[in-house]
């Protein structure tokens, strides 16, 4: 087994230890409190406590969705129904929230998940680390701890330890357990999240409704974005190239009048017109590059992103593994999404290094599913990036949503930050 697989297994074991604590303490506590709160609704107390507890359960579930994506590459969609925008405040609003939460099927599936998570999920998470720890016990017994059990034999697995020979047998069993742990720890961690997905993911009907809602929103966003882009182009043309071309026409008209009676002045104006034409051409090229960069059309997404990285003030490393080219609209959306993500890093991350990885393959957790163009932008900045109103990541999410793409962000405090984008598409 090579070093990478050993490190991967030990990392899975460490993560399993953390998960076992979260599942036993977090899921157990939230399950008990939420069930008690729901049973107290007829008395009126539960109406006040249930919304807050359900919200905490959803945060707990969303954290597990994030861990599933970042630790085991398993995507779990969020199925929760949003509250209506006109919901009232005070006690009346609290009652409305409680009713809406209890009517949401996802609330009851979350409770089922908590029950599974604190039992089977806990056992699976604990196994990822238990095999390593239990294996070490076998070596300690062989090293001399067997003497403690000389008069009172100790069972290590199926080995009765009471002598040096049986201690060595325990070490042999420990070696087998260690090998099994190194081989299957990552698979057990993945199994934990696969067990989570059926309960935390939306049902087929919910997923379809959410997809329709998201595509409807992204369609409106696309229309608004296109209108804003057309206004920007019109403004840039009017204030930039058009103004320069008009000035150049006026200069040439003056040259025509002065060419015979003041050749020196006419020559000066010709030079000015030449400069205006060069500046207008530069502005037109910049405008075209902002609409669809020529390098993107000529050489594809990989080279276009590499060219983009070269213009950054922060050193950036680009890795490209694309066996073909996507459709032009997809390439354009991906290019500008990367451009926006890199601009966010430069402005807000405080990073001194950026990595961009472009690849193509099946969707995470769906090896036989639709092909995905996958882009990861990673930086070593301060972290703390979130998707929310007013952030650049929200606009990026809307841009990807036009193509039914998804955005995932992992950005713990202190960094690093990884922004992962996926767009379903086919390559030519």
């Amino acid at each position: 087994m090579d070093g990478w697989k050993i490190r991967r297994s030990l990392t899975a074991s460490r993560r399993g230890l953390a998960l076992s604590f979260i599942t036993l303490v977090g899921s157990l506590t939230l399950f008990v409190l939420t069930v008690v709160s729901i049973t107290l609704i007829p008395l009126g107390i539960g109406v006040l406590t249930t919304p807050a507890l359900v919200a905490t359960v959803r945060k707990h579930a969303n954290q597990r969705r994030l861990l599933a994506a970042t630790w085991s590459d398993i995507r779990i969609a969020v199925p929760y129904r949003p509250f209506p925008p006109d919901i009232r405040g005070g006690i009346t609003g609290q009652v409305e929230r409680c009713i809406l939460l209890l009517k949401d099927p996802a609330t009851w599936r979350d409770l089922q998940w908590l029950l599974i998570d604190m039992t089977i999920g806990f056992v699976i998470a604990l196994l990822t680390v238990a095999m390593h720890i239990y294996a070490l016990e076998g070596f300690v017994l062989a090293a001399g701890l067997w003497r403690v059990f000389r008069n009172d034999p100790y069972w290590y697995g199926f080995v009765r330890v009471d002598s040096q020979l049986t201690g060595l047998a325990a070490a042999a069993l420990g070696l087998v357990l260690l090998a099994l742990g190194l081989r299957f720890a990552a698979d057990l961690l993945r199994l934990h999240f696969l067990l989570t997905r059926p309960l935390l993911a939306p049902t087929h009907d919910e997923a379809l409704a959410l997809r329709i809602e998201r595509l409807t929103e992204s369609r409106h966003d696309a229309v608004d974005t296109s209108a804003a882009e057309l206004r920007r182009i019109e403004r840039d043309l009017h204030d930039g190239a058009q103004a320069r071309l008009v000035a150049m026409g006026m200069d040439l008209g003056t040259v025509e009048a002065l060419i015979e009676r003041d050749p020196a002045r006419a020559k000066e104006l010709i030079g000015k017109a030449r400069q205006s034409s060069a500046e207008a051409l530069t502005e037109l090229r910049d405008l075209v590059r902002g609409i669809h960069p020529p390098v993107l059309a000529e050489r594809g997404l990989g080279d276009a992103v590499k060219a983009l990285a070269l213009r950054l003030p922060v050193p950036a490393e680009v890795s490209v593994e694309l066996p073909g080219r996507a459709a032009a609209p997809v390439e354009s959306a991906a290019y500008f999404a990367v451009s926006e993500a890199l601009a966010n890093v430069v402005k807000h991350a405080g990073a001194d290094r950026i990595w961009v990885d472009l690849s193509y393959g099946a969707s995470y957790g769906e090896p036989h599913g639709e092909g995905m163009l996958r882009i990861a932008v990673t930086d070593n900045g301060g972290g703390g990036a979130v998707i929310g109103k007013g952030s650049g990541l929200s606009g990026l999410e809307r841009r990807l949503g036009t193509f039914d793409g998804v955005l995932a962000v992992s950005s713990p405090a202190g960094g690093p930050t990884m922004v992962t984008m996926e767009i379903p598409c086919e390559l030519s």
Side-chain angles (χ1 to χ4, degrees):
M1 182 176 288
D2 57 34
W4 178 83
K5 290 183 178 179
I6 293 175
R7 287 194 300 273
R8 177 170 174 261
S9 176
L10 294 177
T11 299
S13 179
R14 186 175 68 252
R15 290 170 173 173
L17 180 61
L19 272 179
S20 63
F21 177 79
I22 294 170
T23 54
L24 186 61
V25 177
S27 296
L28 177 60
T29 303
L30 286 173
F31 178 79
V32 172
L33 291 177
T34 306
V35 170
V36 170
S37 178
I38 292 174
T39 59
L40 292 176
I41 287 177
L43 300 178
I45 301 173
V47 173
L48 302 176
T49 57
T50 298
L53 282 169
V54 171
T56 305
V57 169
R58 292 184 172 186
K59 288 181 181 178
H60 183 59
N62 285 334
Q63 180 64 28
R64 193 63 56 86
R65 290 183 179 95
L66 178 61
L67 294 180
T70 55
W71 288 0
S72 292
D73 297 338
I74 295 175
R75 305 292 181 187
I76 305 175
V78 178
Y80 307 124
R81 296 174 181 174
F83 286 129
D86 57 347
I87 194 166
R88 288 168 287 183
I91 298 296
T92 304
Q94 194 77 350
V95 173
E96 286 185 61
R97 288 186 181 89
C98 187
I99 293 172
L100 290 171
L101 288 170
L102 294 180
K103 284 183 177 180
D104 190 345
T107 298
W108 302 103
R109 289 203 305 274
D110 280 354
L111 287 178
Q112 295 176 46
W113 166 70
L114 288 176
L115 184 60
I116 298 296
D117 193 52
M118 68 188 191
T119 53
I120 302 174
F122 166 73
V123 172
I124 294 175
L126 189 62
L127 278 176
T128 61
V129 65
M131 285 192 291
H132 290 150
I133 296 176
Y134 197 50
L136 293 178
E137 184 182 345
F139 299 126
V140 173
L141 286 168
L145 185 62
W146 64 268
R147 292 186 176 87
V148 177
F149 307 107
R150 182 179 297 172
N151 299 321
D152 185 13
Y154 171 76
W155 286 93
Y156 177 73
F158 55 84
V159 177
R160 185 174 184 269
V161 179
D162 57 4
S163 65
Q164 182 64 62
L165 182 61
T166 55
L168 293 174
L173 178 57
L175 187 62
V176 173
L177 291 174
L178 181 61
L180 290 174
L182 292 174
R183 171 61 182 83
F184 293 109
D187 295 328
L188 285 171
L189 186 68
R190 184 176 179 82
L191 178 62
H192 173 90
F193 293 119
L194 289 174
L195 182 71
T196 296
R197 184 167 59 179
L199 291 173
L200 289 188
T203 63
H204 176 73
D205 291 342
E206 289 174 339
L208 186 59
L210 288 170
R211 185 171 184 179
I212 291 172
E213 182 181 350
R214 187 175 67 185
L215 289 176
T216 301
E217 291 177 357
S218 63
R219 178 188 173 193
H220 292 314
D221 289 337
V223 171
D224 293 341
T225 301
S226 298
E229 188 69 8
L230 287 173
R231 288 194 297 271
R232 182 188 70 82
I233 293 170
E234 181 181 14
R235 183 178 64 251
D236 289 349
L237 284 173
H238 182 272
D239 297 342
Q242 180 178 317
R244 294 190 185 280
L245 290 173
V246 170
M248 186 174 66
M250 294 174 64
D251 288 340
L252 290 176
T254 305
V255 168
E256 188 177 15
L258 295 176
I259 192 73
E260 303 229 353
R261 57 189 177 84
D262 193 349
R265 175 62 179 162
K267 184 176 180 181
E268 180 182 341
L269 290 175
I270 289 173
K272 185 178 177 182
R274 185 187 299 112
Q275 182 180 356
S276 295
S277 68
E279 291 173 350
L281 182 60
T282 300
E283 289 182 355
L284 286 173
R285 283 174 175 167
D286 291 340
L287 186 62
V288 170
R289 188 179 293 113
I291 300 170
H292 193 80
V295 66
L296 180 62
E298 296 168 6
R299 302 178 61 181
L301 180 62
D303 287 339
V305 171
K306 288 179 179 178
L308 185 65
L310 290 174
R311 299 196 296 269
L312 293 175
V314 178
E317 183 179 322
V318 180
S319 173
V320 180
E321 295 182 8
L322 299 177
R325 294 191 59 173
V330 174
E331 282 195 334
S332 181
Y335 173 84
F336 286 108
V338 173
S339 177
E340 194 170 341
L342 292 174
N344 286 335
V345 173
V346 172
K347 288 180 184 178
H348 307 296
D352 56 24
R353 194 76 182 174
I354 303 173
W355 296 266
V356 183
D357 297 293
L358 291 86
S359 61
Y360 182 81
S363 177
Y364 282 137
E366 300 288 348
H368 304 295
E370 187 175 18
M372 288 281 179
L373 172 63
R374 189 172 300 111
I375 305 167
V377 178
T378 307
D379 67 77
N380 62 351
V386 293
I387 303 175
K389 291 184 178 180
S391 74
L393 293 174
S394 297
L396 203 160
E397 187 176 39
R398 289 194 299 272
R399 182 189 294 275
L400 295 175
T402 306
F403 296 87
D404 204 15
V406 295
L407 174 73
V409 178
S410 174
S411 184
T417 295
M418 174 181 283
V419 176
T420 304
M421 298 165 270
E422 286 186 349
I423 303 177
C425 64
E426 296 295 331
L427 300 187
S428 60

